[in-house]
Every structure is written in C-alpha cells, then in structure tokens.
Amino acid sequence: MLLDRDGTLVEDVPYNGDPEKVRLLPGVRVGLDRLRAAGLRLGVVSNQSGLARGFFSVGQMRAVHARIEALVGPFDSWQVCPHDEADGCGCRKPLPGLVRAAAAELGTVPGRCVVVGDIGRDVTAALAAGAVGVLVPTPVTRPEEVAAAPWVAGDFCEAVEEILRRQHAVQPAVRPAVGRSAGRRGGTVLVVRADSAGDVLVTGPAIRAVAHHADRVVLLCGPRGRAAADLLPGVDEVVEHPLPWIDPDPDRVNPAEMAALTDRLAAIGADEAVIFTSFHQSPLPLALLLRMAGVPRVSGISEDYPGSLLDVRHRVPVGVPEPERALSLAAAAGYGLAPTDQPTLRLRAGAVPPAPARLGAPGYVVLHPGSAASSRAIPPELAARIASALVDAGHRVVVTGGPDEREVTAAVAAAGGVDLGGRTGLAELAGVVAGAAAMVVGNTGPAHLAAAFGVPVVSLFAPTVPFGQWGPYRVPTVRLGDAAAPCRDTRAATCPVPGHPCLAGVDPAEVVEALRVLGVPGEPVGPATAGVAVPATGGSGR
C-alpha cells in the first residue's frame, strides 16, 4: 500500500519544512491502523521539489516525516523525488520511478501494490508502474482527473474499506455441504464464459483458481471466444456453443438447440458449474439449463433473485476490475489460486507461436487500431498520424488487425510500419504481441494479450465502459483520450457522438510521450524490417 503524502495523509502546505505545520487529514490514523492490522506493508511516495528549489533542507524534510510517523506510526518505505520539473528525472510523478522503488524496497512488484493519491499524477504514476491507482479527490483535484481515474473513493476511510473488501473477496470461502462435490476438492467443474475473446482472457485467473482444485475443467464458451479459450491454462476441454442471451447479435432462441445444449451439458457429468459473466449479464438462463442437465451445484453473480437456480449467489459492487470480479466468484465457490500463482493474465505455455522472423528482433511497437465495436476503435486517420509520429521518434511499428480491417491497417501502415492486418489468428497475434516493447491499442481484446505478457500498453480508451473494470490489468499502462466525453458509460458499440470526440482529440505526440513514461525508448528502423510485406496466413487478429 503506497500513499502520496501531501493532500492524502496530511494537509497540503506548500513546500512545508516545518513539523509544527503537519496536520493529519480525517480518517488517516484509523485507516492506517486498519491496513497494518490486515498485514499490509505501507510506503510513502512523494514529490518534494522544494528540496531542489531550496525551500527546505533534507533535515527539515526528515523532521516533517518524523512528525508524521509520531502521529500515525512508522512506514516501511519512504520514497521521495527531490527534483524539480525541469530536472528530467525518472522518479518525479507522473513517472513511475517512485512506485517501482517502493515496491522493490518492500520486496514485491508494482502489480501487487495499491497507490492512493489526491491528484491525477499519483494515479498516472501508479498505472505506468503496473500498480492499482486510487484517487481520493480534494478541492484541488481537477474534474478531468476524477473522470480519468480507474477508482475514485470519497475519502481515505472509504478507500481503505474497499481495498480490504477486495483483498478479502478473492480469498476462498469454506465450501458448504451441497451436492456431490460437498466438502471435497476434485471432480469435474464446468466453467462458463460465453462472450468475446477479451472477456475470456480476463477470466483466465479465475479459471486457473478452479483448475488448481479440480480434477478436470471444461470451459463452455461462444464462437467469438473460442480462440481465446484455446489459449488459457487450466482448461482440459472446450465446449463451444452460442448463447442467445449473451451474444450481441443473437439468433432467435431455438428450442431444439437449447435441448441439444442441455443434453451436451448433461454428458459432461460436471460435479458443479461456475458461471462467469460481465457486470451487465445474467447467469440465470444458463443456470436453468444446468439444473435441467442435472448439475448439482451452480455458482454465479446475480443481482436478480435466483430462487433455486444458484447454490452460490454472489454479489460484486460496480467498478471492480473484471479479472478480480471473476476471481471473487471463484473464491465464493471455494476456489483460490495456487500459492505460487498470481492474479495476472497468462496464456498456456506452448500455445503461442513466435513472431514472424521478418519482424526482426523483439522491441517493436504494436499499433492495433481496430475493434469489434467501432465505438472503441482508434479513428483510422488518427492511427495513421500515430504511426508516422512513432516512426519519426525512432520506433519500429507493426500494425495489426482482423481480416475485415485490412483496408484500415494498410492505410495506417503506409504512414509507417509493417502491415499484418488480417494475417494473424489470435494465437499468432499473441506471438507478435509477446515480442513487442509496447502496444498502442483501444479497449479491445489485444490489450489483454499485452497484459498477459506484461507488455506495456498505451490505452486509447473510449469511456463507453468503465476504465477501472476493463482497462489493461496489472500491466504498465498510460491512458489517453477524453474520459468525460458524452459517450461515457453508454456501452455503445457504435459511436453515439459525431466525430468520435473521446479519441479524435488525442495528439500523436501524447502517444510518443506515453511510451517515454512507460520506459520504451525509440530506436533506429533497420532496413531489414521497414516496409516489409508479410504474406497472409488467415484467421482473425482481433
């Protein structure tokens, strides 16, 4: 748990070197006591440019810190940036240096850290390091910073309460005595994620949690998620079937097909089922079929009254990241990750082929402009300008996209880069992403491929859905775009506002700067890789 100092722990007194001026903010002492009692280690990450400007000495700053610790107890790490804005250091927030240094001193990694601050640069530094960022606004916090933050808490105590709730939510519950699987592990578990490739990928940690305890895991998915299902660790068998209450463009409900699906589910012989859904979906239609198929124990997240359709009816507050949302359902059903596993996205070893040799050495930037939902795609004209700016900054660029996006990727690559549009299936695309130094992408499935490999992401994120739920998970990220655009929270698949204002206003120079923040320098473009055409291999790149 990493905390900003001024405006988060104590009142923001500009360039304070006087311990007598230290005033705790409301709830800080109680909140820190709760965090320590829960076993969390605490650190402070603070910009103190007053040192560079000569407003106070190192000794005076240490006296201020000693006063803070006298009021709230000791911290396990103090990380301070002593530089001014013009010094060009790598530690001054919004750069991620302080967060990385604190994580290292605490013996962990940024992905296991939560950073709490009161302004946008605190959250930006957290995300750029791959940590979780929580914004607790004050009167000086700008509205656009609040809109862009993935997680906003009303005050410090509210932030602490939700942090501890989320920590507890992914700890496995004691399994009740229900059905054939009562009181034991093992058996066959049917897990369900019937949506797109990105949805299946973010459910991966929860599926691994189930697989850690089960003898056999069968995954039911839809056609749009099948390619991702084949890449997930812990899955022994995949059953593909469209579900008309999930698909965005569904056929009519066919009684014969539903009867056939019920028979197929019965043939699996599952001891229980865990139905993973997005926050706007219901598990109840499938739960009914599972009951008809004789599955004795069914778990799902449901706000609606499930009657006897669910044995474990789980609830999750709005705003929880989708991977954690799924993990909390697995935990409610009694399944937790292996002690050696981490709640990050991963792909199955050996499932991903290497990137084409013609791309050259790893270290290029993947630019993926498209999306199955046009509202979340990067406008083609902007993507072309981004490609040009990246090449001018010394980056090698690889442009990717699905078969129906070849015209767009060709136009973007013409501005600079190698065109792979329509030339990769999902596994091949994963291989390309694995060799990237960073990825520039909208809110679409390939962003989660990047997260699975720890590849930093410049996220041009249309706010049609909440960034805190669907942003790249536990991977260094910089978010760009207008988070307060009129399309916010509409869940629109087609842009409801003329001109795509949430992304159209992004300056390509912002993308170049975002890569610098993420620690991805440019490099000369070699003659062996510039402008090379890659033959088609078929499949979808989305």
Side-chain angles (χ1 to χ4, degrees):
M1 180 82 174
L2 308 179
L3 304 125
D4 175 54
R5 193 189 86 175
D6 303 318
T8 301
L9 294 176
V10 298
E11 292 180 3
D12 188 0
V13 178
Y15 306 117
N16 183 29
D18 183 357
E20 296 300 318
K21 294 181 180 179
V22 171
R23 299 287 185 273
L24 291 183
L25 288 171
V28 167
R29 176 59 190 262
V30 172
L32 293 179
D33 286 347
R34 290 191 65 195
L35 292 169
R36 290 190 182 98
L40 294 179
R41 303 189 71 191
L42 305 179
V44 178
V45 287
S46 179
N47 289 349
Q48 293 297 327
S49 63
L51 287 171
R53 300 179 185 186
F55 291 122
F56 53 81
S57 67
V58 171
Q60 289 173 310
M61 181 188 71
R62 287 175 177 166
V64 168
H65 292 174
R67 175 59 179 164
I68 294 173
E69 290 193 327
L71 293 173
V72 300
F75 289 91
D76 301 298
S77 175
W78 283 90
Q79 298 295 328
V80 172
C81 172
H83 305 105
D84 198 357
E85 196 97 37
D87 289 340
C89 68
C91 54
R92 181 174 172 81
K93 295 179 288 186
L95 293 173
L98 292 180
V99 177
R100 291 173 177 163
E105 184 169 359
L106 295 173
T108 187
V109 294
R112 300 281 291 172
C113 296
V114 178
V115 180
V116 180
D118 66 310
I119 58 176
R121 66 177 54 202
D122 299 318
V123 175
T124 299
L127 297 180
V132 176
V134 185
L135 184 71
V136 180
T138 69
V140 304
T141 313
R142 296 183 307 212
E144 57 268 29
E145 295 174 336
V146 176
W151 178 352
V152 179
D155 56 34
F156 190 80
C157 284
E158 181 183 313
V160 169
E161 181 70 27
E162 179 61 7
I163 288 165
L164 295 179
R165 190 204 65 76
R166 293 190 187 186
Q167 182 187 44
H168 176 74
V170 296
Q171 302 303 314
V174 176
R175 292 165 62 89
V178 177
R180 285 184 290 164
S181 58
R184 70 174 181 87
R185 294 295 190 266
T188 294
V189 181
L190 174 68
V191 295
V192 182
R193 193 63 170 95
D195 217 321
S196 67
D199 301 297
V200 173
L201 291 173
V202 299
T203 313
I207 294 174
R208 297 201 309 270
V210 174
H212 175 56
H213 302 280
D215 294 328
R216 175 170 170 252
V217 173
V218 179
L219 171 58
L220 171 64
C221 69
R224 296 182 303 129
R226 175 59 190 262
D230 290 335
L231 300 179
L232 291 185
V235 176
D236 298 296
E237 180 183 345
V238 177
V239 174
E240 178 187 327
H241 200 287
L243 301 182
W245 54 91
I246 297 292
D247 289 349
D249 187 22
D251 293 329
R252 289 182 177 275
V253 175
N254 184 312
E257 287 186 2
M258 292 300 99
L261 174 59
T262 304
D263 291 342
R264 194 172 185 187
L265 295 174
I268 293 170
D271 294 288
E272 63 180 289
V274 183
I275 307 173
F276 296 106
T277 52
S278 290
F279 69 101
H280 59 278
Q281 297 170 343
S282 172
L284 299 185
L286 184 61
L288 176 60
L289 298 188
L290 291 168
R291 288 300 195 212
M292 296 172 65
V295 178
R297 187 172 191 259
V298 182
S299 303
I301 299 174
S302 182
E303 289 299 319
D304 297 321
Y305 173 63
S308 59
L309 296 182
L310 297 179
D311 298 292
V312 177
R313 178 196 184 187
H314 186 50
R315 291 177 176 174
V316 183
V318 174
V320 176
E322 288 291 310
E324 288 180 25
R325 187 176 188 273
L327 270 171
S328 73
L329 173 59
Y335 297 105
L337 286 166
T340 56
D341 201 353
Q342 297 294 327
T344 54
L345 307 191
R346 279 200 291 116
L347 302 185
R348 182 163 50 82
V352 176
R358 65 191 67 209
L359 296 184
Y364 43 81
V365 174
V366 172
L367 173 56
H368 190 92
S371 171
S374 61
S375 62
R376 296 187 270 114
I378 303 173
E381 183 273 336
L382 172 60
R385 290 192 292 121
I386 290 172
S388 178
L390 292 176
V391 171
D392 289 345
H395 294 283
R396 291 180 291 140
V397 178
V398 176
V399 184
T400 57
D404 58 343
E405 296 165 342
R406 291 189 181 197
E407 185 176 340
V408 170
T409 61
V412 172
V418 177
D419 181 15
L420 290 185
R423 296 170 170 87
T424 58
L426 190 68
E428 291 76 20
L429 176 60
V432 172
V433 172
M439 187 171 199
V440 181
V441 62
N443 175 24
T444 188
H448 305 305
L449 289 178
F453 290 109
V455 171
V457 177
V458 179
S459 177
L460 277 70
F461 194 94
T464 53
V465 294
F467 180 74
Q469 287 182 245
W470 288 104
Y473 186 65
R474 296 200 181 200
V475 65
T477 301
V478 172
R479 178 186 185 177
L480 299 178
D482 181 2
C487 64
R488 183 180 174 94
D489 294 334
T490 61
R491 295 193 359 231
T494 303
C495 185
V497 184
H500 211 348
C502 66
L503 298 182
V506 173
D507 188 329
E510 295 180 79
V511 177
V512 175
E513 173 61 15
L515 290 174
R516 185 187 75 82
V517 169
L518 292 169
V520 182
E523 60 181 46
V525 178
T529 61
V532 176
V534 180
T537 59
S540 171
R542 274 188 272 170

